Amino acid sequence: MLHTFVALVEDKPGVLTRVASLFRRLNINIVSLTVGHSERAGVSRMTIVCEASPTAGHRIAASLYKLENVLQVDDIGQLSHVARELALIKVAATPQTRSQVFELAEVFRARIVDLAPESLMIEITGVESKIEGLIQVLNEAGDRILEISRTGRMVMRRGQHTSKVLDAMRVPGVETIAEFQAEEDSAAPSDLLMAEETGL
Amino acid sequence: MSTGKHAKTPTNSGAGTRLTGAEIMWATLEGEGVSVVFGYPGGAILPAYDALRKFPIRHVLVRHEQGAAHAADGYARASGKVGVAIATSGPGATNLVTGIATAMLDSVPMVCITGQVSSKVLGTDAFQEVDITGITLPVTKHNYVVTRAEDVAKTIREAFLVARSGRPGPVLVDITKDAQQGLAEFDFAAAAPKPHRPHPMLKTESASILQAADLIRSAKKPVILAGHGIMQSSACQQVLTFAERMRIPVASTLLGLGAFPASHPLSLGMMGMHGEAWVNHAIQQADLLIACGMRFDDRVTGTLATYAPNAKKIHIEVDPAEINKNVKVDVALIGDLKEALEALLPHLPPKSTKHESAWLKEIESSKGEVAVRDIKNLPDSGHLYAAHVIHDLWRATEGKAIVVTDVGQHQMWEAQYYKHNEPRTLITSGGLGTMGFALPAAIGAKIACPDKEVWVVAGDGGFQMTAAELSTAAQEELDLNIAVVNNGYLGMVRQWQEFFYEKNYQSSPLRSPDFVKLAEAHGIRGTAVRKRPEVLPAVKEARGHKGPFVINFLVEKEDSVYPMIPAGSALHEMIRRPNRNPLVETADDK
Ligand SMILES: Cc1ncc(C[n+]2csc(CCOP(=O)(O)OP(=O)(O)O)c2C)c(N)n1
Ligand SMILES: [Mg+2]
């Protein structure tokens, strides 16, 4: 079963190795791992997707907490969340065959971000299945895919949810966070957002 | 635990003091309450050694860095304080690794400091450069690289906090040579670590406490499983109160021995692979197991499929990652054991003695003949068994010595025949099972507890792995008694070969030097013992002697440890001692 964890970690050298090494030690394969800055200075945010037995979630989260640089772990599990992935796909296309690719890209609400005489590049954002769908139709249409670069899944929980651990530690976040939450509370997730989520 | 109560004002401290990184290192150690370190010098740590003379810290020069790590470990286990080991970069650092892993597997608080090449050449394969933080990443609780003098104090202070907080463990601090040489302001108080982040998975919720109390109150056949965590959490008194109030028998893990007095009527003894039959039977028959600071290691559960099939399980444990790892439990109290028991006890009214007797009697009757471990008056068959040695040692020392064992058959015999009534009196490598541990760890234990009698119990194989530390014991003039249980074999390997490999004794017989002469070569007194009547006089001589003393006990060569549960078998499927063995006789001195 696929597990998804969001980990807030200290932004220091070697932290990624520690996290990766933990999964290696547990003999668990990481499916995807994305890291970037979070809303707090000095704190990075990782989304880790891994394949493990359905009951492994507790042990993985607890083991992550054993790493001194890991500040907060969220086992996303069934929690309501938004998941996204970004992919760049380079397709072989000449001026004669381009328009067919344009059409497919449009259906998937993808964008063309580079055009060259022999190829073009598509940028697509969405849930994994949407990206895989585009790859599939490109293949089926006989368009030769030259390169694919995918970020792996990023997730964020819906609704008001911030790190209690970091708040307790008084790790400062973005200043506007309080106003932001107030807005979030009143606005129910719009139909449009939900539609995007389930997307193609 | 907070660092606050350990900290004291170091010799050179206070805002505005400028020191070298090396001086800051020692001043910080001093501030953390360190009075002795175990180490070995070399190029990359020389600035630190050069500064040592300015500080009131004793340095014990070992003969191999593995010895430094084990000595720091033994020091920590005997005292409950953080042990400190020091080594140079490269080979000095890699020699520490076995000792660090040993401490990691047994959750021992330790800080290792290694020198590192200058930060300017880091990553260039400079002379004696190794990536020791990379190498030790999976065997430390955490580790650090320090490249600037101004980071030395705060990193070392944080290392101590990490080593002793929560589930303790070893921490390594790798300090580059230029960080040792650089100047920085030293302010011990200002370098205090931030409080540890709250751990959202630590929770002894009142609902769980009530649930646990219900299970305990209604249990008919409960057993307490006592582990190392009892000592780590200083919860011996709470466990004793708990067991006595509810009249629950206590089974111990190897590392838990001593946490509950062996002579207590409710003490069952050691569980697991070489535990007595009645202990493992009690666990298999139990309707409730209360695991206190133990982790259901495979050596104590046997095959999990048939482990304690009728028992509900309560797990009181500080490390959330241990919950449901091996054995699925019904109630988990995640947090400090002492605090959890203190929260639990008010919900447990003393048990009337009605139900008790049935269960305790059942256990008592299952002891039967094999319960006899007291072999004082065995007829002298002309053979010397390791059991005799340990038994007589126990008698002579009245069970009060700190015994530091190595790994193998003698370790199990020690656990079976030496009754430990006090915590921290059995020091042994459980999780990693590291041969060569005993002598250096005993050096650390003796230095931690100079007023305690300390015995090494080692096999002829393991003793030779770190026998060079005899020089350390001699140089430090330690009053250390060393019993080598010499069976001419890597005995535990031979036993497995006898049971599971058709007596193919491949590479398990070993020839040893004359250990008495080896001792003498170190300026250490020694004697050999071949017969039962010689045991006590030799033990007496060693105890009366000032300075290290080696006794070479030439014991029966092909004796085995019984009972034994083969790895992967159920807890009740054990190999018993064959009949009419001279060690199984009737008790005499009740
Ligand atoms: C460093 C290390 N290497 C190998 C082993 C595997 N091993 C476990 S017990 C044992 C035999 C120990 O022999 P000895 O020290 O003579 O003790 P005995 O079992 O004879 O009492 C061996 C080789 C180990 N535990 N540690
Ligand atoms: Mg031997």
Side-chain angles (χ1 to χ4, degrees):
Chain A
M1 173 188 140
L2 281 186
H3 293 264
T4 305
F5 300 92
V6 170
L8 294 171
V9 304
E10 288 178 299
D11 182 10
K12 284 184 180 167
V15 176
L16 180 60
T17 316
R18 288 174 198 277
V19 171
S21 172
L22 172 84
F23 283 86
R24 177 183 55 74
R25 232 150 59 224
L26 297 177
N27 196 24
I28 291 173
N29 187 36
I30 296 177
V31 175
S32 73
L33 194 161
T34 70
V35 203
H37 293 301
S38 71
E39 72 282 6
R40 294 167 202 254
V43 177
S44 302
R45 180 180 175 116
M46 294 183 174
T47 306
I48 308 158
V49 181
C50 66
E51 177 70 51
S53 76
T55 53
H58 166 83
R59 173 120 190 272
I60 295 170
S63 301
L64 279 166
Y65 270 119
K66 288 171 81 158
L67 302 176
E68 291 299 320
N69 303 117
V70 172
L71 304 172
Q72 151 103 49
V73 183
D74 229 350
D75 181 352
I76 297 301
Q78 303 305 310
L79 300 171
S80 140
H81 66 274
V82 175
R84 286 292 178 275
E85 183 174 358
L86 180 119
L88 296 175
I89 304 172
K90 191 180 284 177
V91 183
T94 59
Q96 289 74 38
T97 59
R98 269 176 198 160
S99 59
Q100 175 193 336
V101 181
F102 286 173
E103 270 172 35
L104 290 176
E106 177 137 341
V107 176
F108 280 80
R109 283 188 242 165
R111 299 199 299 151
I112 308 298
V113 290
D114 183 52
L115 263 187
E118 309 270 275
S119 71
L120 55 79
M121 196 193 300
I122 307 171
E123 175 198 305
I124 176 168
T125 313
V127 292
E128 287 103 317
S129 56
K130 175 172 164 182
I131 294 168
E132 273 143 28
L134 174 59
I135 294 170
Q136 194 185 336
V137 295
L138 284 168
N139 281 330
E140 283 168 4
D143 295 305
R144 200 153 64 83
I145 295 178
L146 301 173
E147 276 184 64
I148 298 177
S149 174
R150 296 173 62 165
T151 57
R153 185 193 297 176
M154 288 181 0
V155 307
M156 191 173 280
R157 283 172 63 176
R158 289 187 182 280
Q160 177 181 1
H161 173 264
T162 56
S163 168
K164 293 202 179 65
V165 177
L166 293 182
D167 290 342
M169 290 175 75
R170 299 208 188 82
V171 178
V174 288
E175 276 170 28
T176 52
I177 199 150
E179 306 155 32
F180 190 72
Q181 275 169 6
E183 260 172 53
E184 266 268 321
D185 283 346
S186 55
S190 71
D191 290 347
L192 191 112
L193 277 168
M194 297 297 272
E196 250 280 288
E197 158 87 332
T198 37
L200 263 159
Chain B
M1 278 189 263
S2 79
T3 39
K5 69 175 176 215
H6 302 271
K8 60 174 195 179
T9 311
T11 314
N12 307 290
S13 75
T17 321
R18 276 182 83 75
L19 299 177
T20 64
E23 290 165 335
I24 293 174
M25 169 184 139
W26 294 114
T28 310
L29 290 175
E30 190 197 346
E32 288 291 342
V34 175
S35 57
V36 57
V37 299
F38 305 89
Y40 209 97
I45 192 76
L46 267 181
Y49 274 82
D50 187 49
L52 176 54
R53 67 196 148 83
K54 300 174 200 156
F55 296 85
I57 290 181
R58 173 177 176 190
H59 181 274
V60 176
L61 178 70
V62 293
R63 296 299 183 270
H64 184 292
E65 289 85 352
Q66 180 184 350
H70 288 328
D73 178 327
Y75 178 91
R77 295 192 207 219
S79 66
K81 294 193 267 187
V82 180
V84 180
I86 299 192
T88 190
S89 66
T94 54
N95 274 351
L96 289 175
V97 173
T98 301
I100 295 174
T102 304
M104 182 70 176
L105 275 266
D106 288 347
S107 309
V108 177
M110 182 160 108
V111 170
C112 294
I113 296 180
T114 48
Q116 181 55 284
V117 299
S118 168
S119 66
K120 291 172 210 72
V121 294
L122 265 184
T124 64
D125 294 337
F127 179 63
Q128 293 193 330
E129 177 183 5
V130 309
D131 173 13
I132 195 61
T133 43
I135 289 172
T136 58
L137 191 135
V139 293
T140 48
K141 196 173 164 193
H142 192 56
N143 60 26
Y144 303 86
V145 185
V146 179
T147 56
R148 306 183 317 162
E150 47 266 51
D151 296 333
V152 171
K154 82 170 178 353
T155 308
I156 292 178
R157 293 208 64 179
E158 194 176 309
F160 273 78
L161 174 68
V162 171
R164 55 163 87 98
S165 63
R167 178 178 180 171
V171 179
L172 182 135
V173 184
D174 195 30
I175 309 180
T176 61
K177 196 166 183 177
D178 52 336
Q180 296 169 48
Q181 289 163 328
L183 277 171
E185 191 158 310
F186 176 57
D187 184 344
F188 184 75
K194 282 183 300 191
H196 219 238
R197 69 149 146 63
H199 195 317
M201 291 174 121
L202 289 182
K203 47 184 174 205
T204 39
E205 284 162 345
S206 42
S208 313
I209 298 266
L210 294 180
Q211 216 183 333
D214 272 348
L215 287 176
I216 294 165
R217 278 196 307 265
S218 55
K220 299 255 179 324
K221 299 179 168 192
V223 176
I224 292 172
L225 307 179
H228 194 198
I230 299 177
M231 286 171 248
Q232 309 265 27
S233 151
S234 309
C236 297
Q237 187 53 51
Q238 284 71 13
V239 172
L240 185 67
T241 309
F242 174 39
E244 285 182 340
R245 184 183 293 182
M246 304 311 287
R247 310 296 302 153
I248 303 178
V250 180
S252 290
T253 65
L254 174 65
L255 292 190
L257 291 174
F260 189 82
S263 59
H264 195 287
L266 287 170
S267 168
L268 294 179
M270 182 172 70
M271 64 177 104
M273 185 173 268
H274 291 296
E276 294 296 354
W278 69 83
V279 189
N280 290 329
H281 272 303
I283 291 169
Q284 290 301 77
Q285 299 303 317
D287 65 356
L288 178 66
L289 297 178
I290 307 118
C292 297
M294 59 83 76
R295 59 186 176 93
F296 295 105
D297 178 78
D298 56 78
R299 296 283 120 144
V300 308
T301 60
T303 178
L304 292 169
T306 54
Y307 181 69
N310 310 317
K312 295 248 190 251
K313 285 134 196 142
I314 299 171
H315 198 177
I316 315 180
E317 168 61 49
V318 72
D319 179 359
E322 291 295 344
I323 305 298
N324 295 330
K325 184 179 87 178
N326 298 335
V327 169
K328 183 133 182 31
V329 298
D330 300 276
V331 181
L333 303 179
I334 312 174
D336 180 65
L337 176 65
K338 185 177 178 168
E339 288 169 19
L341 285 175
E342 274 170 357
L344 192 57
L345 281 169
H347 301 282
L348 299 173
K351 188 127 178 165
S352 81
T353 44
K354 261 201 207 134
H355 303 287
E356 128 193 2
S357 28
W359 174 227
L360 291 180
K361 266 190 203 134
E362 185 182 329
I363 296 174
E364 194 59 36
S365 68
S366 75
K367 288 187 181 175
E369 282 285 288
V370 291
V372 183
R373 279 292 173 194
D374 197 328
I375 53 176
K376 184 176 131 201
N377 289 349
L378 280 181
D380 184 357
S381 57
H383 298 271
L384 179 63
Y385 286 92
H388 293 147
V389 173
I390 308 292
H391 175 271
D392 288 358
L393 186 61
W394 167 59
R395 287 264 170 213
T397 58
E398 295 167 17
K400 289 184 181 141
I402 294 178
V403 184
V404 187
T405 82
D406 216 79
V407 171
Q409 291 184 313
H410 63 280
Q411 178 188 32
M412 292 300 116
W413 282 316
E414 200 286 343
Q416 292 180 336
Y417 292 95
Y418 198 105
K419 309 289 177 206
H420 290 274
N421 279 336
E422 278 164 44
R424 302 188 184 281
T425 58
L426 170 58
I427 294 177
T428 191
S429 165
L432 198 67
T434 310
M435 283 173 71
F437 174 78
L439 178 58
I443 289 172
K446 182 67 193 177
I447 287 172
C449 304
D451 300 330
K452 277 254 188 182
E453 179 175 352
V454 178
W455 279 84
V456 170
V457 172
D460 41 341
F463 181 62
Q464 289 186 70
M465 282 200 173
T466 51
E469 301 304 339
L470 280 175
S471 304
T472 311
Q475 183 169 345
E476 297 293 322
E477 296 174 9
L478 296 179
D479 212 353
L480 198 61
N481 302 307
I482 300 157
V484 182
V485 179
N486 187 345
N487 53 10
Y489 276 104
L490 300 174
M492 191 55 96
V493 170
R494 189 209 58 75
Q495 176 170 345
W496 282 54
Q497 289 169 331
E498 176 188 334
F499 291 0
F500 313 120
Y501 295 91
E502 289 140 359
K503 298 199 179 184
N504 175 18
Y505 295 157
Q506 175 61 54
S507 307
S508 54
L510 86 159
R511 195 202 290 183
S512 299
D514 180 334
F515 291 128
V516 175
K517 286 204 180 124
L518 183 71
E520 280 163 2
H522 288 86
I524 290 174
R525 284 277 295 282
T527 188
V529 169
R530 291 181 180 79
K531 295 212 159 46
R532 181 83 201 273
E534 300 166 4
V535 176
L536 276 174
V539 168
K540 198 171 162 211
E541 189 186 353
R543 298 183 76 206
H545 177 74
K546 272 254 149 281
F549 196 102
V550 173
I551 310 178
N552 185 18
F553 289 102
L554 294 140
V555 299
E556 200 67 13
K557 286 184 183 262
E558 299 195 11
D559 192 12
S560 290
V561 183
Y562 296 100
M564 176 177 190
I565 296 153
S569 296
L571 220 44
H572 51 272
E573 296 166 356
M574 58 194 84
I575 305 173
R576 307 300 291 266
R577 184 176 278 282
N579 285 334
R580 277 184 290 124
N581 185 290
L583 288 181
V584 186
E585 296 235 344
T586 321
D588 64 297
D589 56 350
K590 280 271 158 77

